[in-house]
Amino acid sequence: MARGTRDIQPQPVALSVVAPCFNEERGLDRFVARMVAAAAGFGAFELILVNDGSRDKTWACIRAMAERYPQVLGVDLARNHGHQLAVTAGLSLARGARVLVIDADLQDPPEVLGPMMARMDEGFDVVYGRRRSRPGESRFKRATASAFYRVLGRLSEVEIPTDTGDFRLMSRRIVDRLNAMPEQDRFLRGMVAWLGGAQSELLYDREARHAGETGYTLAKMLRLATDGLAGFSRAPLKLAVVFACVGIAIAVAVVIYAIVGFVTGRVIPGWTSLALIMLFFGIAQLGCLAIIGAYLGRIYMQLKGRPLYLINQVVGGGPDTP
Ligand code: UDP
Ligand code: MG
């Protein structure tokens, strides 16, 4: 394994760039060319391309890139582990004094690296990109993302910046601490916020995808959203208390109504109200069970302690200096 030979003679790397790749065969060469150009001038640099179980020729493309560019290190995961774990795998291999996480589809412009490096020179541990605009994404995606960040902002126990993804530059110290966090269900942007330190935002304009299609299906988006909520808030667990309070209020009102009806000798027509009350409590109970299940499932997976990801192969990573 190429990595092993490098580990024997570690050389300092000023900057590591980690890019997860899922079915990115069509735009990868353009991404690598732009990223290598953007990183020029910042000292020795490595570009870690993580193939997240792509179903197209992405891995062949990464191998070709590793032959063409000595800075490229290709990592092939055993299967599709998902974006967050692909980034996690890349971060654990990164050796740079600073590490940039960026999407491989050119939605995050590599040229933002320059301003991010300058901002970090001012003494920040983390510089995260905050999206000023996000063209080329559906209205549904923008609306749901915006709603999610608002809800998470209210519920989260740490302040997670709104309208940010995983596009961020981190210091070695933050990456080491992040790598030491063992949680299985990873919501990296929340974990980095949790780590604290001096963090700064940098506004940028997101670009439209240059090629290929989004790998984030609705199911993957929902998974990420529940990982964010369950990972950073216990508020949903308290929902049962809210339902119980509403239930008590309804019960008191119904009892008063029934007593008044009994005293005045009025027959209370019951079917609709009975059905509605039963439905309300049925839904409330099932909803609370589902929420408890979401947390319980995460405890179960965490207890198993399986490795977060499996690496098949690592290629490239020749001389460090561009
Ligand atoms: N990605 C990944 N594994 C997945 C889905 C996506 O590694 O299961 C990568 C993808 O190649 C891209 C980044 O994660 O570099 C962001 O994904 P995508 O562009 O599909 O999501 P979107 O930008 O539409 O939210
Ligand atoms: Mg994208």
Side-chain angles (χ1 to χ4, degrees), residues 24 103 105 107 137 206 209 214:
E24 301 285 4
D103 284 357
D105 59 0
Q107 283 201 272
E137 293 187 306
R206 203 151 206 244
R209 214 174 215 286
T214 176

Side-chain angles (χ1 to χ4, degrees), residues 132-289:
R132 189 166 26 208
S133 60
R134 39 196 307 177
E137 293 187 306
S138 69
R139 188 172 293 194
F140 173 76
K141 178 142 190 168
R142 277 180 292 172
T144 47
S146 164
F148 167 68
Y149 281 115
R150 300 294 166 298
V151 172
L152 187 67
R154 288 196 75 116
L155 297 185
S156 166
E157 286 154 29
V158 287
E159 201 179 315
I160 300 172
T162 53
D163 302 323
T164 62
D166 289 308
F167 184 33
R168 66 192 69 224
L169 183 64
M170 295 176 278
S171 68
R172 181 79 252 161
R173 183 165 67 159
I174 289 287
V175 174
D176 284 344
R177 290 177 179 174
L178 200 55
N179 288 341
M181 289 170 86
E183 51 206 88
Q184 297 265 337
D185 298 289
R186 295 172 96 76
F187 184 65
L188 289 168
R189 57 204 79 164
M191 292 163 71
V192 174
W194 184 87
L195 284 169
Q199 307 212 0
S200 172
E201 69 172 35
L202 194 100
L203 282 174
Y204 76 104
D205 292 301
R206 203 151 206 244
E207 291 178 10
R209 214 174 215 286
H210 276 224
E213 292 158 9
T214 176
Y216 258 98
T217 53
L218 187 61
K220 281 184 186 172
M221 258 161 63
L222 279 174
R223 176 81 209 269
L224 186 70
T226 39
D227 278 344
L229 282 171
F232 290 90
S233 171
R234 278 167 292 182
L237 283 170
K238 296 173 193 149
L239 213 58
V241 178
V242 177
F243 283 139
C245 293
V246 174
I248 290 168
I250 293 176
V252 169
V254 169
V255 166
I256 293 171
Y257 182 66
I259 292 173
V260 171
F262 183 73
V263 170
T264 55
R266 186 160 42 86
V267 179
I268 304 170
W271 192 88
T272 318
S273 49
L274 211 62
L276 283 178
I277 288 171
M278 280 170 61
L279 266 180
F280 172 80
F281 284 105
I283 292 167
Q285 283 178 20
L286 287 179
C288 291
L289 273 180

Side-chain angles (χ1 to χ4, degrees), residues 36-43 322:
V36 169
F42 292 115

Side-chain angles (χ1 to χ4, degrees), residues 19-24 50-54 80-84 86-87 102-108 131 134 137 141 206 209 213-217 220-221:
C21 310
F22 177 66
N23 297 346
E24 301 285 4
V50 184
N51 177 37
D52 185 21
S54 298
N80 180 243
H81 285 282
H83 172 233
Q84 300 288 296
V87 173
I102 185 169
D103 284 357
D105 59 0
L106 285 171
Q107 283 201 272
D108 307 327
R131 298 150 182 173
R134 39 196 307 177
E137 293 187 306
K141 178 142 190 168
R206 203 151 206 244
R209 214 174 215 286
E213 292 158 9
T214 176
Y216 258 98
T217 53
K220 281 184 186 172
M221 258 161 63

Side-chain angles (χ1 to χ4, degrees), residues 3 6 16-22 24-25 27-36 45-54 57-77 85-87 89-91 93-94 100-106 110 311-317:
R3 190 82 211 172
R6 296 204 326 168
S16 301
V17 176
V18 172
C21 310
F22 177 66
E24 301 285 4
E25 62 176 9
L28 204 61
D29 47 351
R30 249 178 305 165
F31 165 71
V32 173
R34 259 175 78 180
M35 194 65 245
V36 169
F45 132 87
E46 62 178 3
L47 173 54
I48 302 176
L49 300 173
V50 184
N51 177 37
D52 185 21
S54 298
K57 296 198 183 70
T58 299
W59 179 236
C61 288
I62 292 177
R63 292 180 71 107
M65 292 294 144
E67 298 224 330
R68 192 169 348 146
Y69 297 91
Q71 306 94 326
V72 169
L73 187 79
V75 182
D76 189 30
L77 297 186
L85 291 180
V87 173
L91 288 177
L93 290 171
L100 176 77
V101 175
I102 185 169
D103 284 357
D105 59 0
L106 285 171
I311 294 177
N312 263 352
Q313 202 182 356
V314 180
V315 297

